[in-house]
Coordinates of all heavy atoms in Angstrom, one line a residue:
M1 N -16.1 82.2 259.9 CA -15.9 82.6 258.5 C -16.6 81.7 257.6 O -16.6 80.5 257.8 CB -14.4 82.6 258.2 CG -14.0 83.0 256.9 SD -12.4 82.4 256.4 CE -12.9 81.6 254.9
S2 N -17.2 82.2 256.6 CA -17.9 81.4 255.6 C -17.0 81.2 254.4 O -16.4 82.1 253.9 CB -19.2 82.2 255.2 OG -19.8 81.5 254.1
L3 N -16.9 79.9 254.0 CA -16.1 79.6 252.8 C -16.8 79.8 251.5 O -16.2 79.8 250.5 CB -15.6 78.1 252.9 CG -14.7 77.8 254.0 CD1 -14.4 76.4 254.1 CD2 -13.4 78.6 253.9
G4 N -18.1 79.8 251.6 CA -18.9 79.9 250.3 C -19.5 78.6 250.0 O -19.0 77.5 250.4
K5 N -20.5 78.7 249.2 CA -21.3 77.5 248.8 C -20.4 76.4 248.1 O -20.5 75.2 248.3 CB -22.4 77.9 247.9 CG -23.4 76.9 247.6 CD -24.6 77.6 246.8 CE -25.8 76.7 246.7 NZ -26.8 77.3 245.9
I6 N -19.6 76.9 247.1 CA -18.8 76.0 246.3 C -17.7 75.2 247.1 O -17.6 74.0 247.0 CB -18.2 76.7 245.1 CG1 -19.3 77.2 244.2 CG2 -17.2 75.8 244.3 CD1 -18.8 78.1 243.1
L7 N -17.0 76.0 248.0 CA -15.9 75.4 248.8 C -16.5 74.4 249.8 O -16.0 73.4 250.1 CB -15.0 76.4 249.4 CG -13.8 76.8 248.6 CD1 -13.0 77.8 249.4 CD2 -13.0 75.7 248.1
N8 N -17.7 74.8 250.4 CA -18.4 73.9 251.3 C -18.7 72.6 250.7 O -18.6 71.5 251.3 CB -19.6 74.6 251.9 CG -19.3 75.6 252.9 OD1 -18.2 75.6 253.6 ND2 -20.2 76.5 253.1
K9 N -19.1 72.6 249.4 CA -19.4 71.3 248.7 C -18.1 70.5 248.5 O -18.2 69.3 248.6 CB -20.0 71.6 247.3 CG -21.4 72.0 247.3 CD -21.9 72.2 245.9 CE -23.3 72.5 245.8 NZ -23.8 72.7 244.4
Q10 N -17.0 71.2 248.2 CA -15.8 70.4 248.0 C -15.3 69.8 249.3 O -14.8 68.7 249.3 CB -14.7 71.4 247.4 CG -15.0 72.0 246.1 CD -15.4 71.1 245.0 OE1 -15.5 69.9 245.1 NE2 -15.8 71.7 243.9
I11 N -15.4 70.5 250.4 CA -15.0 70.0 251.7 C -15.9 68.8 252.1 O -15.4 67.8 252.6 CB -15.0 71.1 252.8 CG1 -13.8 72.1 252.4 CG2 -14.8 70.5 254.2 CD1 -13.8 73.3 253.2
A12 N -17.2 68.9 251.8 CA -18.1 67.8 252.1 C -17.8 66.6 251.3 O -17.8 65.5 251.7 CB -19.6 68.3 251.8
W13 N -17.3 66.9 250.0 CA -16.9 65.8 249.1 C -15.7 65.1 249.7 O -15.6 63.8 249.8 CB -16.6 66.3 247.8 CG -16.0 65.3 246.8 CD1 -16.6 64.3 246.2 CD2 -14.6 65.2 246.4 NE1 -15.7 63.6 245.4 CE2 -14.5 64.2 245.5 CE3 -13.4 66.0 246.8 CZ2 -13.2 63.8 245.0 CZ3 -12.2 65.6 246.2 CH2 -12.2 64.5 245.3
L14 N -14.7 65.8 250.2 CA -13.5 65.2 250.9 C -13.9 64.4 252.1 O -13.4 63.3 252.3 CB -12.5 66.3 251.3 CG -11.6 66.8 250.3 CD1 -10.8 68.0 250.8 CD2 -10.6 65.7 249.8
E15 N -14.8 65.0 252.9 CA -15.2 64.3 254.2 C -16.0 63.1 253.9 O -16.1 62.2 254.8 CB -16.0 65.3 255.0 CG -15.1 66.4 255.6 CD -15.9 67.5 256.4 OE1 -17.1 67.7 256.0 OE2 -15.4 68.1 257.3
S16 N -16.5 62.9 252.7 CA -17.4 61.8 252.4 C -16.6 60.5 252.3 O -17.2 59.4 252.4 CB -18.2 62.0 251.1 OG -17.3 62.0 250.0
F17 N -15.3 60.5 252.1 CA -14.5 59.3 252.0 C -14.2 58.8 253.4 O -13.8 59.5 254.3 CB -13.2 59.6 251.3 CG -13.4 60.1 249.9 CD1 -13.2 61.4 249.5 CD2 -13.8 59.2 248.9 CE1 -13.4 61.8 248.2 CE2 -14.0 59.6 247.6 CZ -13.8 60.9 247.2
D18 N -14.3 57.5 253.5 CA -14.1 56.8 254.8 C -12.6 56.9 255.3 O -12.4 56.9 256.5 CB -14.5 55.3 254.8 CG -16.0 55.1 254.6 OD1 -16.7 56.1 255.0 OD2 -16.4 54.1 254.1
V19 N -11.7 57.0 254.4 CA -10.3 57.0 254.7 C -9.8 58.4 255.2 O -8.8 58.5 255.8 CB -9.4 56.5 253.5 CG1 -9.7 55.1 253.3 CG2 -9.6 57.4 252.3
V20 N -10.7 59.4 255.0 CA -10.3 60.8 255.5 C -10.8 60.9 256.9 O -12.0 60.8 257.2 CB -11.0 61.9 254.6 CG1 -10.8 63.3 255.2 CG2 -10.4 61.8 253.2
K21 N -9.9 61.1 257.8 CA -10.3 61.1 259.2 C -10.8 62.5 259.6 O -11.8 62.6 260.4 CB -9.1 60.8 260.1 CG -8.7 59.3 260.0 CD -7.6 59.0 261.0 CE -7.3 57.5 260.9 NZ -6.4 57.1 261.9
K22 N -10.2 63.6 259.1 CA -10.6 64.9 259.5 C -10.1 65.9 258.4 O -9.1 65.7 257.8 CB -10.0 65.3 260.8 CG -10.6 66.5 261.5 CD -9.9 66.7 262.8 CE -10.6 65.8 263.8 NZ -10.2 66.1 265.2
V23 N -10.9 66.9 258.2 CA -10.5 68.0 257.3 C -10.4 69.3 258.2 O -11.4 69.7 258.8 CB -11.5 68.2 256.2 CG1 -11.2 69.5 255.4 CG2 -11.6 67.0 255.3
I24 N -9.2 69.9 258.3 CA -9.0 71.0 259.2 C -8.7 72.3 258.4 O -7.8 72.3 257.6 CB -7.9 70.7 260.1 CG1 -8.2 69.4 260.9 CG2 -7.6 71.9 261.1 CD1 -7.0 68.9 261.7
L25 N -9.5 73.3 258.6 CA -9.3 74.6 257.9 C -8.2 75.3 258.5 O -8.1 75.4 259.7 CB -10.6 75.4 257.9 CG -11.8 74.8 257.3 CD1 -13.0 75.7 257.4 CD2 -11.6 74.4 255.8
G26 N -7.3 75.9 257.7 CA -6.2 76.6 258.2 C -6.2 78.1 257.8 O -7.3 78.7 257.8
R27 N -5.1 78.6 257.5 CA -4.9 80.0 257.2 C -5.7 80.4 255.9 O -5.8 79.7 255.0 CB -3.4 80.3 256.9 CG -3.1 81.7 256.7 CD -1.6 81.8 256.4 NE -1.2 81.1 255.2 CZ -1.0 81.6 254.0 NH1 -1.1 82.9 253.9 NH2 -0.6 80.8 253.0
T28 N -6.4 81.6 256.0 CA -7.1 82.1 254.9 C -6.5 83.4 254.5 O -6.1 84.2 255.3 CB -8.6 82.4 255.3 OG1 -9.2 81.2 255.8 CG2 -9.4 83.0 254.2
E29 N -6.3 83.6 253.2 CA -5.7 84.8 252.7 C -6.6 85.4 251.5 O -6.9 84.7 250.6 CB -4.3 84.5 252.1 CG -3.6 85.7 251.6 CD -2.2 85.3 251.1 OE1 -1.7 84.2 251.4 OE2 -1.6 86.1 250.4
N30 N -7.0 86.6 251.7 CA -7.7 87.3 250.6 C -6.7 87.8 249.6 O -5.8 88.5 249.8 CB -8.5 88.5 251.2 CG -9.6 88.1 252.1 OD1 -10.2 87.0 251.9 ND2 -9.9 88.9 253.1
C31 N -6.9 87.3 248.4 CA -6.0 87.6 247.3 C -6.6 87.2 245.9 O -7.6 86.5 245.9 CB -4.6 86.9 247.4 SG -4.8 85.1 247.4
R32 N -5.9 87.7 244.9 CA -6.4 87.3 243.5 C -5.6 86.0 243.2 O -4.5 85.8 243.6 CB -6.0 88.4 242.5 CG -6.7 89.7 242.7 CD -6.4 90.6 241.6 NE -6.6 92.0 242.0 CZ -6.2 93.0 241.4 NH1 -5.5 92.9 240.3 NH2 -6.4 94.2 241.8
H33 N -6.3 85.3 242.3 CA -5.7 84.1 241.8 C -6.3 83.7 240.4 O -7.3 84.3 240.1 CB -5.8 82.9 242.8 CG -7.2 82.6 243.2 ND1 -8.1 81.9 242.4 CD2 -7.9 83.0 244.3 CE1 -9.2 81.8 243.0 NE2 -9.2 82.4 244.1
S34 N -5.7 82.8 239.7 CA -6.2 82.5 238.4 C -7.0 81.2 238.4 O -7.5 80.8 237.3 CB -5.0 82.4 237.4 OG -4.2 81.3 237.8
F35 N -7.2 80.6 239.5 CA -8.0 79.3 239.6 C -9.5 79.6 239.7 O -9.9 80.6 240.3 CB -7.5 78.5 240.8 CG -6.1 78.0 240.6 CD1 -5.1 78.7 241.3 CD2 -5.8 76.9 239.9 CE1 -3.8 78.3 241.2 CE2 -4.5 76.5 239.7 CZ -3.5 77.2 240.4
R36 N -10.3 78.7 239.2 CA -11.8 78.9 239.4 C -12.2 78.6 240.8 O -11.5 77.9 241.6 CB -12.5 78.0 238.4 CG -12.4 76.5 238.8 CD -13.2 75.7 237.7 NE -13.2 74.3 238.1 CZ -12.2 73.4 237.9 NH1 -11.1 73.8 237.4 NH2 -12.4 72.2 238.3
S37 N -13.2 79.2 241.2 CA -13.7 79.0 242.6 C -14.1 77.6 242.9 O -14.7 76.9 242.1 CB -14.9 79.9 242.8 OG -15.3 79.9 244.2
G38 N -13.6 77.0 244.0 CA -13.9 75.7 244.3 C -12.7 74.7 244.0 O -12.8 73.5 244.3
Y39 N -11.7 75.2 243.3 CA -10.6 74.4 242.9 C -9.7 74.0 244.1 O -9.4 74.8 245.0 CB -9.7 75.2 241.9 CG -8.6 74.4 241.2 CD1 -8.9 73.6 240.1 CD2 -7.3 74.4 241.7 CE1 -7.9 72.9 239.5 CE2 -6.3 73.6 241.1 CZ -6.6 72.9 240.0 OH -5.6 72.2 239.4
L40 N -9.3 72.7 244.2 CA -8.4 72.2 245.2 C -7.1 71.8 244.6 O -7.1 71.1 243.5 CB -9.1 71.0 245.9 CG -10.4 71.2 246.6 CD1 -10.9 69.9 247.3 CD2 -10.4 72.4 247.6
K41 N -6.0 72.2 245.2 CA -4.7 71.9 244.7 C -3.8 71.2 245.8 O -3.7 71.8 246.9 CB -4.0 73.1 244.2 CG -2.7 72.9 243.6 CD -2.1 74.3 243.1 CE -0.8 74.1 242.4 NZ -0.2 75.4 242.0
V42 N -3.3 70.0 245.6 CA -2.5 69.3 246.5 C -1.1 70.1 246.7 O -0.5 70.4 245.6 CB -2.2 67.9 246.1 CG1 -1.3 67.2 247.0 CG2 -3.5 67.1 246.0
Q43 N -0.7 70.3 247.9 CA 0.5 71.1 248.1 C 1.7 70.1 248.6 O 2.6 69.9 247.8 CB 0.3 72.2 249.2 CG -0.5 73.3 248.6 CD 0.2 74.0 247.5 OE1 1.2 74.6 247.7 NE2 -0.4 74.0 246.3
H44 N 1.7 69.7 249.8 CA 2.7 68.9 250.3 C 2.3 68.0 251.5 O 1.2 68.2 252.1 CB 3.9 69.7 250.8 CG 3.6 70.8 251.8 ND1 3.1 72.0 251.5 CD2 3.7 70.7 253.1 CE1 2.9 72.7 252.6 NE2 3.2 71.9 253.6
D45 N 3.1 67.0 251.8 CA 2.8 66.0 252.9 C 3.3 66.6 254.2 O 4.3 67.3 254.3 CB 3.5 64.7 252.6 CG 2.9 64.0 251.4 OD1 1.7 64.3 251.0 OD2 3.5 63.1 250.9
L46 N 2.6 66.2 255.3 CA 3.0 66.4 256.6 C 2.7 65.2 257.4 O 2.1 64.2 256.9 CB 2.2 67.6 257.3 CG 2.4 69.0 256.7 CD1 1.4 69.9 257.3 CD2 3.8 69.5 257.0
D47 N 3.2 65.1 258.6 CA 2.9 64.0 259.5 C 1.4 63.9 259.7 O 0.8 64.8 260.1 CB 3.6 64.1 260.8 CG 5.1 63.9 260.7 OD1 5.6 63.3 259.7 OD2 5.9 64.4 261.7
G48 N 0.9 62.7 259.4 CA -0.5 62.5 259.6 C -1.5 62.9 258.5 O -2.7 62.8 258.6
G49 N -0.9 63.4 257.4 CA -1.8 63.8 256.3 C -1.1 64.7 255.3 O 0.1 64.6 255.1
F50 N -1.8 65.6 254.7 CA -1.2 66.5 253.7 C -2.0 67.8 253.6 O -3.1 67.9 254.1 CB -1.1 65.9 252.3 CG -2.5 65.4 251.8 CD1 -3.2 66.2 250.9 CD2 -3.0 64.2 252.1 CE1 -4.4 65.8 250.4 CE2 -4.2 63.8 251.6 CZ -4.9 64.6 250.7
I51 N -1.4 68.8 253.0 CA -2.0 70.2 252.9 C -2.5 70.3 251.5 O -1.8 69.9 250.5 CB -0.9 71.3 253.2 CG1 -0.4 71.2 254.6 CG2 -1.5 72.7 252.9 CD1 -1.4 71.7 255.6
I52 N -3.7 70.9 251.3 CA -4.1 71.3 250.0 C -4.5 72.8 250.1 O -4.7 73.4 251.2 CB -5.4 70.5 249.6 CG1 -6.5 70.7 250.5 CG2 -5.0 69.1 249.3 CD1 -7.8 70.0 250.1
K53 N -4.5 73.5 249.0 CA -5.0 74.9 248.9 C -6.4 74.8 248.2 O -6.6 74.1 247.2 CB -4.1 75.7 248.0 CG -2.7 75.9 248.6 CD -2.4 77.3 248.8 CE -1.0 77.5 249.3 NZ -1.0 78.2 250.5
A54 N -7.3 75.6 248.8 CA -8.6 75.7 248.3 C -8.8 77.1 247.8 O -8.6 78.0 248.6 CB -9.7 75.3 249.3
F55 N -9.3 77.3 246.6 CA -9.4 78.6 246.0 C -10.9 79.0 245.9 O -11.7 78.2 245.5 CB -8.8 78.6 244.6 CG -7.4 78.3 244.6 CD1 -6.9 77.0 244.5 CD2 -6.5 79.4 244.7 CE1 -5.5 76.8 244.5 CE2 -5.1 79.1 244.7 CZ -4.6 77.8 244.6
S56 N -11.2 80.2 246.4 CA -12.6 80.7 246.4 C -12.6 82.0 245.6 O -11.5 82.5 245.2 CB -13.1 80.9 247.8 OG -12.5 82.0 248.4
G57 N -13.7 82.6 245.5 CA -13.8 83.9 244.8 C -13.2 85.0 245.6 O -12.8 86.0 245.0
N58 N -12.9 84.8 246.9 CA -12.3 85.8 247.7 C -10.8 85.6 248.0 O -10.2 86.5 248.5 CB -13.0 85.9 249.1 CG -14.5 86.3 248.9 OD1 -14.8 87.0 248.0 ND2 -15.3 85.8 249.7
G59 N -10.3 84.4 247.8 CA -8.9 84.1 248.1 C -8.6 82.7 248.2 O -9.2 81.8 247.5
V60 N -7.7 82.4 249.1 CA -7.1 81.0 249.3 C -7.2 80.6 250.7 O -6.9 81.3 251.6 CB -5.6 81.0 248.8 CG1 -5.0 79.6 248.9 CG2 -5.5 81.5 247.4
V61 N -7.5 79.3 250.9 CA -7.6 78.7 252.2 C -6.7 77.5 252.2 O -6.7 76.6 251.3 CB -9.0 78.2 252.6 CG1 -9.1 77.6 254.0 CG2 -10.0 79.4 252.4
D62 N -5.8 77.4 253.3 CA -5.0 76.2 253.5 C -5.9 75.2 254.2 O -6.5 75.5 255.2 CB -3.8 76.5 254.3 CG -2.7 77.3 253.5 OD1 -2.7 77.2 252.3 OD2 -1.9 78.0 254.2
I63 N -5.9 73.9 253.8 CA -6.6 72.9 254.4 C -5.7 71.7 254.7 O -5.0 71.2 253.8 CB -7.8 72.4 253.5 CG1 -8.8 73.6 253.3 CG2 -8.6 71.2 254.1 CD1 -9.9 73.3 252.3
F64 N -5.8 71.2 255.9 CA -5.1 70.0 256.3 C -6.0 68.8 256.2 O -7.1 68.8 256.8 CB -4.5 70.1 257.7 CG -3.7 68.9 258.2 CD1 -2.5 68.6 257.6 CD2 -4.2 68.1 259.2 CE1 -1.8 67.4 258.0 CE2 -3.5 67.0 259.6 CZ -2.3 66.7 259.0
V65 N -5.6 67.8 255.5 CA -6.4 66.6 255.4 C -5.8 65.5 256.2 O -4.6 65.1 255.9 CB -6.6 66.1 253.9 CG1 -7.4 64.8 253.8 CG2 -7.2 67.2 253.0
R66 N -6.4 65.1 257.2 CA -5.9 64.0 258.1 C -6.3 62.7 257.6 O -7.5 62.4 257.4 CB -6.4 64.2 259.5 CG -6.0 63.2 260.5 CD -4.9 63.7 261.4 NE -4.6 62.9 262.5 CZ -3.8 61.8 262.4 NH1 -3.2 61.6 261.3 NH2 -3.6 61.1 263.5
C67 N -5.3 61.8 257.4 CA -5.5 60.4 256.9 C -4.3 59.5 257.3 O -3.3 60.0 257.6 CB -5.8 60.5 255.4 SG -4.4 61.0 254.4
E68 N -4.6 58.2 257.1 CA -3.5 57.3 257.3 C -2.5 57.4 256.1 O -2.9 57.7 255.0 CB -4.1 55.8 257.3 CG -5.0 55.6 258.5 CD -4.3 55.5 259.8 OE1 -3.1 55.1 259.8 OE2 -5.0 55.8 260.8
E69 N -1.2 57.1 256.4 CA -0.2 57.2 255.4 C -0.5 56.3 254.2 O -0.2 56.7 253.0 CB 1.2 56.9 256.0 CG 2.3 57.2 255.1 CD 3.6 57.1 255.7 OE1 3.7 57.1 257.0 OE2 4.6 57.0 255.0
Q70 N -1.0 55.1 254.4 CA -1.2 54.2 253.3 C -2.4 54.7 252.4 O -2.5 54.2 251.2 CB -1.5 52.8 253.8 CG -2.8 52.6 254.6 CD -2.5 52.7 256.1 OE1 -1.5 53.3 256.5 NE2 -3.4 52.0 256.8
H71 N -3.2 55.6 252.8 CA -4.3 56.1 252.0 C -4.0 57.5 251.4 O -4.8 58.0 250.6 CB -5.6 56.2 252.9 CG -6.0 55.0 253.5 ND1 -6.4 53.9 252.7 CD2 -6.1 54.6 254.8 CE1 -6.7 52.9 253.5 NE2 -6.6 53.3 254.8
R72 N -2.9 58.0 251.7 CA -2.6 59.4 251.3 C -2.6 59.6 249.8 O -3.2 60.5 249.3 CB -1.2 59.8 251.9 CG -0.9 61.2 251.8 CD 0.4 61.5 252.4 NE 0.3 61.3 253.8 CZ 1.4 61.4 254.7 NH1 2.6 61.6 254.2 NH2 1.2 61.2 255.9
E73 N -1.9 58.7 249.1 CA -1.8 58.8 247.6 C -3.1 58.6 246.9 O -3.4 59.2 245.9 CB -0.7 57.9 247.1 CG 0.7 58.3 247.4 CD 1.0 59.7 246.9 OE1 0.7 60.0 245.7 OE2 1.7 60.4 247.7
Y74 N -3.9 57.7 247.5 CA -5.3 57.4 247.0 C -6.1 58.7 247.0 O -6.7 59.1 246.0 CB -5.9 56.3 247.8 CG -7.4 56.1 247.5 CD1 -7.8 55.6 246.3 CD2 -8.3 56.5 248.4 CE1 -9.2 55.4 246.0 CE2 -9.7 56.3 248.2 CZ -10.1 55.8 247.0 OH -11.4 55.7 246.7
I75 N -6.1 59.4 248.1 CA -6.9 60.6 248.3 C -6.4 61.7 247.3 O -7.1 62.4 246.7 CB -6.9 61.1 249.7 CG1 -7.6 60.0 250.6 CG2 -7.7 62.4 249.9 CD1 -7.3 60.2 252.1
K76 N -5.0 61.8 247.3 CA -4.4 62.9 246.5 C -4.7 62.6 245.0 O -5.0 63.6 244.2 CB -2.9 62.9 246.7 CG -2.6 63.6 248.0 CD -1.2 63.6 248.5 CE -0.1 63.4 247.7 NZ 1.2 63.5 248.4
D77 N -4.7 61.4 244.6 CA -5.1 61.0 243.2 C -6.6 61.4 242.9 O -6.9 61.9 241.8 CB -4.9 59.5 242.9 CG -3.4 59.2 242.7 OD1 -2.6 60.1 242.5 OD2 -3.1 58.0 242.9
L78 N -7.5 61.1 243.8 CA -8.9 61.5 243.6 C -9.0 63.0 243.5 O -9.7 63.5 242.6 CB -9.7 61.1 244.9 CG -9.9 59.6 245.0 CD1 -10.6 59.3 246.3 CD2 -10.8 59.0 243.9
I79 N -8.3 63.8 244.3 CA -8.3 65.2 244.1 C -7.8 65.7 242.8 O -8.4 66.5 242.1 CB -7.5 65.9 245.3 CG1 -8.2 65.6 246.6 CG2 -7.4 67.4 245.1 CD1 -7.4 66.0 247.8
R80 N -6.6 65.1 242.4 CA -6.0 65.5 241.1 C -6.9 65.2 239.9 O -7.1 66.0 239.0 CB -4.7 64.8 241.0 CG -3.6 65.4 241.9 CD -2.3 64.8 241.6 NE -1.3 65.3 242.6 CZ -0.7 64.5 243.5 NH1 -0.9 63.2 243.5 NH2 0.2 65.0 244.3
K81 N -7.6 64.0 240.0 CA -8.5 63.6 238.9 C -9.7 64.5 238.8 O -10.1 64.9 237.7 CB -8.9 62.2 239.0 CG -7.8 61.2 238.7 CD -8.3 59.8 239.0 CE -7.2 58.8 238.7 NZ -7.5 57.4 239.1
R82 N -10.2 64.9 239.9 CA -11.4 65.7 239.9 C -11.1 67.2 239.5 O -12.0 67.8 238.9 CB -12.0 65.7 241.3 CG -13.3 66.5 241.4 CD -14.0 66.3 242.7 NE -15.1 67.2 242.8 CZ -16.3 66.8 243.4 NH1 -16.4 65.6 243.8 NH2 -17.3 67.7 243.5
F83 N -9.9 67.7 239.8 CA -9.6 69.1 239.5 C -8.5 69.3 238.5 O -7.8 70.3 238.5 CB -9.2 69.8 240.8 CG -10.3 69.8 241.8 CD1 -10.3 68.8 242.9 CD2 -11.3 70.7 241.7 CE1 -11.4 68.8 243.8 CE2 -12.4 70.6 242.6 CZ -12.4 69.7 243.7
T84 N -8.5 68.4 237.5 CA -7.5 68.6 236.4 C -8.3 68.8 235.1 O -9.3 68.4 234.9 CB -6.6 67.3 236.2 OG1 -6.1 67.0 237.5 CG2 -5.5 67.6 235.3

């Protein structure tokens, strides 16, 4: 499945941080939404990382960001600052 040019850039941006161990693509849903394409929204924490929603022109993708617990808030703050 292709995420599109904009979302691929956002995922590459996430992967560029040394504290991010892995970015895992999850469930994809074709739907309408009011967010601009490429927008990332922090959802909730899980063991070993946290979930974000990535919005594209075609729908929504769940993404799991694997990281150490002590770096979790740092990464989430970077995402919030970039997409607010």
Side-chain angles (χ1 to χ4, degrees):
M1 184 201 124
S2 174
L3 292 176
K5 191 176 190 181
I6 295 173
L7 272 185
N8 283 335
K9 281 184 180 181
Q10 304 304 1
I11 291 170
W13 173 75
L14 275 175
E15 291 174 332
S16 71
F17 297 106
D18 292 337
V19 294
V20 173
K21 292 186 175 185
K22 194 177 278 192
V23 176
I24 302 168
L25 301 179
R27 183 180 63 98
T28 302
E29 183 177 344
N30 291 330
C31 63
R32 292 185 205 171
H33 55 79
S34 60
F35 296 98
R36 69 182 186 279
S37 187
Y39 188 84
L40 302 180
K41 183 178 179 184
V42 176
Q43 289 295 295
H44 58 275
D45 292 341
L46 293 175
D47 289 340
F50 59 96
I51 297 286
I52 59 175
K53 294 242 185 236
F55 298 89
S56 71
N58 298 327
V60 181
V61 180
D62 289 335
I63 297 176
F64 178 70
V65 179
R66 176 99 171 88
C67 63
E68 298 286 334
E69 189 171 341
Q70 65 265 24
H71 302 297
R72 191 177 293 173
E73 288 304 316
Y74 169 71
I75 300 166
K76 287 173 20 178
D77 285 342
L78 289 173
I79 293 169
R80 287 184 186 118
K81 286 178 185 172
R82 183 172 173 140
F83 297 100
T84 310

